[in-house]
């Protein structure tokens, strides 16, 4: 009828289609108005325990669906600081992020770090996401080229070989033993990681699949470490078994490894294997020195002494002065002798 109302199917349709979406993982932390917003658990103690919301403040923003086809957010496998999600939302709403576009669908993950992101770091994160979303997935998969799954930058890497060794020996085996990866029973799954390359700066995570009761390499993830960061790409499998081409679809469990690579980058900075990138801050214009003009002092004519006003009648009021100071604070004590009448009364 005429009173029929059409209810929009989504929030984007309700606001005219120009809405940005920020997805998050498992939320932690409390609002400032909450009694649990105190930095210490249980109050100050001899050995205080700092809440996670104050020790996990570093953030990373990724497109929800990357150009390689992986879903990078909104599934609860990552953790997000409630304060960081609120700050990112307010920055987008107020237009403080210059690199952000009108429509964005991103996911926010939190990692270990006590310092919150600065304005430059927020702009750099959103700029990286815009660059990734602008890249065409068809161009990355053309001619069998390996699509880029993950990329992060460091200020410097003291030893690329040492960082690659830590990824292959410590980080990758712990992820491959997790339930999300080891629980895969059907199809291909990542099995092991090995350090390759002439300089030992490459790591290959190998996917294997059981075909006719034989293990066949069906794909790889190749992680390259250099002096400025590390990059993860999808690689082909065993060409003899028909898996030589690079898969255009995500490998099973690949999205989990991509999300954990962001955590690996944070751990590498914490362990001293890499140096966090330093962004150029805005130069603040130096204040010009203020010059003050001091007027020359002019010698004033001596003023005659003003006589003190009289406080009342008497010699002091008339201007008389005391010749000598009087001793104060001492009084001569005298003993009173009893009278003769009182002595006669005592004798009686």
């Amino acid at each position: 009828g005429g009173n029929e109302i059409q209810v929009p199917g989504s929030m984007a349709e309700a606001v005219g289609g120009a809405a940005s979406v920020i997805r998050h993982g498992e939320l932690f932390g409390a609002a400032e108005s909450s009694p649990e917003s105190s930095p210490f658990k249980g109050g100050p103690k001899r050995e205080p325990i700092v809440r996670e919301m104050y020790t996990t403040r570093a953030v990373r923003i990724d497109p929800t669906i990357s150009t390689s086809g992986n879903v990078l957010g909104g599934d609860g496998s990552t953790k997000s600081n409630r304060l960081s999600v609120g700050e990112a939302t307010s920055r987008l709403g107020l237009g403080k992020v210059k690199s952000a576009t009108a429509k964005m669908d991103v996911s926010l993950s939190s990692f270990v770090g006590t310092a919150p992101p600065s304005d430059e770091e927020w702009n750099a994160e959103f700029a990286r996401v815009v660059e990734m979303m602008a890249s065409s997935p068809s161009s990355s998969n053309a001619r069998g080229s390996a699509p880029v799954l993950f990329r992060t930058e460091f200020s410097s890497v003291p030893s690329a070989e040492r960082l690659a060794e830590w990824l292959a020996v410590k980080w990758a085996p712990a992820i491959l033993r997790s339930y999300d990866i080891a629980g895969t029973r059907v199809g291909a799954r990542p099995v092991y990681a090995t350090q390759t390359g002439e300089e030992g700066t490459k790591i290959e995570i190998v996917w294997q699949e059981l075909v006719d009761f034989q293990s066949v390499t069906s794909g790889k993830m190749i992680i390259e470490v250099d002096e400025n960061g590390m990059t993860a790409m999808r690689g082909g499998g065993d060409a003899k078994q028909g898996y030589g081409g690079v898969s255009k679809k995500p490998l099973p469990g690949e999205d989990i490894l991509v999300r954990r690579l962001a955590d690996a980058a944070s751990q590498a900075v914490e362990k001293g294997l890499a140096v966090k990138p330093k962004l150029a801050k805005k130069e603040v214009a130096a204040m010009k020195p203020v010059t003050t003009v001091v007027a020359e002092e002019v010698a004033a004519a001596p003023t005659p002494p003003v006589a003190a006003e009289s406080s009342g009648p008497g010699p002091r009021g008339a201007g008389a002065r005391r010749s000598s100071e009087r001793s104060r604070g001492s009084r001569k004590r005298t003993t009173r002798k009893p009278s003769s009448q009182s002595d006669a009364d005592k004798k009686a």
Side-chain angles (χ1 to χ4, degrees), residues 82-105:
R82 193 183 303 271
L83 299 180
S84 300
V85 174
E87 185 175 358
T89 305
S90 63
R91 284 179 175 273
L92 284 179
L94 297 175
K96 292 186 176 181
V97 182
K98 298 180 181 179
S99 56
T101 58
K103 297 180 181 179
M104 299 190 71
D105 192 350

Side-chain angles (χ1 to χ4, degrees), residues 113-236:
T114 56
S118 61
D119 295 341
E120 291 77 13
E121 291 175 343
W122 279 114
N123 291 328
E125 285 293 319
F126 280 101
R128 181 177 54 80
V129 172
V130 171
E131 182 181 356
M132 293 177 64
M133 295 173 66
S135 61
S136 174
S138 58
S139 62
S140 61
N141 291 335
R143 300 179 183 179
S145 61
V148 177
L149 304 176
F150 176 85
R151 181 185 292 112
T152 186
E153 296 181 357
F154 300 121
S155 178
S156 63
V157 178
S159 175
E161 183 180 359
R162 184 183 175 190
L163 176 56
E165 181 181 1
W166 174 78
L167 290 171
V169 177
K170 297 292 184 180
W171 174 80
I175 302 302
L176 297 179
R177 288 194 300 265
S178 63
Y179 178 78
D180 296 333
I181 300 295
T184 305
R185 300 303 181 194
V186 180
R189 68 181 179 91
V191 179
Y192 66 92
T194 179
Q195 187 175 2
T196 61
E198 297 180 358
E199 299 179 357
T201 58
K202 289 186 179 181
I203 304 97
E204 291 185 356
I205 301 178
V206 181
W207 268 256
Q208 289 185 346
E209 186 176 357
L210 191 63
V211 179
D212 296 334
F213 298 99
Q214 292 183 358
S215 297
V216 178
T217 301
S218 58
K220 296 179 181 178
M221 177 187 287
I222 303 173
I223 305 174
E224 296 182 359
V225 181
D226 54 20
E227 297 179 354
N228 299 322
M230 60 181 181
T231 305
M233 299 176 293
R234 186 186 301 153

Side-chain angles (χ1 to χ4, degrees), residues 220-275:
K220 296 179 181 178
M221 177 187 287
I222 303 173
I223 305 174
E224 296 182 359
V225 181
D226 54 20
E227 297 179 354
N228 299 322
M230 60 181 181
T231 305
M233 299 176 293
R234 186 186 301 153
D238 190 356
K240 297 180 180 179
Q241 300 293 334
Y243 295 95
V246 179
S247 176
K248 296 183 180 180
K249 296 181 180 180
L251 299 173
E254 186 181 78
D255 55 340
I256 299 174
L257 289 171
V258 172
R259 287 194 296 267
R260 297 297 180 87
L261 275 172
D263 189 21
S266 177
Q267 292 184 30
V269 174
E270 185 180 2
K271 295 178 181 294
L273 300 174
V275 181

